[in-house]
Amino acid sequence: MGTLNLDDPLGFFRELVDPNFSDFYWDFQSDEDCDQVKLIRVFRKMVNLCLTLNHLADKNAVKLGYGEAKLLIPVICKHYPADGAAIDAVRQFSNNVKHKSKLDHNFSTRKRTSSDSFLDGSDLPEWSFTDKSGKKVAICSSVIDAYLFWGKWFAGERVLPSKNT
């Protein structure tokens, strides 16, 4: 018998976000042909990861005194612009999935790059959406970057000021 500390952001990260990331990432990076079955399966895993990452951002926002991720993200963007943009992309995508869809969504495949785990293999799936400013956002890359930011934050490699400092 054990307990899960899902109220604590670190516990939530360890118990839900981290396993969701592993499940998504290794399936996303697999050498399996990127057919309709893989696209749908990886998409479901990506949505699950986005939702838990977005909730994690809200948990950390509360812990830091910002109340919600929407108020914390500009602070992250100020200190870590690329990471903040990724976290905001995850927020936009998550909210668009949870509520009535207002953003244009697209999917395709892409060639592997040096930032991928394996250079050889089939093309990788890629989902994107067009944000309110008209910018195309690659959500697979954003979800990976957002996850890495929070992992670095919990490891003490990223620092965010609390609202009261």
Side-chain angles (χ1 to χ4, degrees), residues 90-105:
V90 167
R91 182 189 65 79
Q92 288 181 61
F93 181 81
S94 296
N95 288 335
N96 202 55
V97 168
K98 290 189 304 187
H99 307 293
K100 185 174 169 73
S101 182
K102 296 178 182 176
L103 304 173
D104 288 333
H105 291 256

Side-chain angles (χ1 to χ4, degrees), residues 24-138:
F24 158 75
Y25 186 76
W26 295 113
D27 200 8
F28 168 69
Q29 288 284 328
S30 76
D31 188 26
E32 179 184 354
D33 284 340
C34 196
D35 60 7
Q36 184 178 10
V37 172
K38 180 178 179 174
L39 282 166
I40 291 168
R41 186 182 64 240
V42 173
F43 181 76
R44 283 194 314 259
K45 292 176 181 185
M46 182 188 65
V47 167
N48 189 30
L49 178 57
C50 282
L51 292 170
T52 55
L53 276 168
N54 189 49
H55 191 62
L56 176 68
D58 278 328
K59 285 184 172 291
N60 281 323
V62 168
K63 185 174 183 174
L64 291 168
Y66 291 89
E68 61 183 340
K70 187 176 177 179
L71 301 175
L72 175 60
I73 290 171
V75 175
I76 297 171
C77 288
K78 179 180 174 186
H79 297 279
Y80 310 100
D83 295 334
I87 293 167
D88 190 49
V90 167
R91 182 189 65 79
Q92 288 181 61
F93 181 81
S94 296
N95 288 335
N96 202 55
V97 168
K98 290 189 304 187
H99 307 293
K100 185 174 169 73
S101 182
K102 296 178 182 176
L103 304 173
D104 288 333
H105 291 256
N106 298 289
F107 69 92
S108 62
T109 59
R110 67 166 177 81
K111 299 290 182 199
R112 293 174 183 264
T113 67
S114 60
S115 64
D116 293 312
S117 291
F118 309 105
L119 291 176
D120 296 326
S122 62
D123 289 354
L124 297 175
E126 184 61 71
W127 289 270
S128 61
F129 66 88
T130 305
D131 69 11
K132 294 175 184 176
S133 70
K135 179 183 171 192
K136 185 176 178 179
V137 178

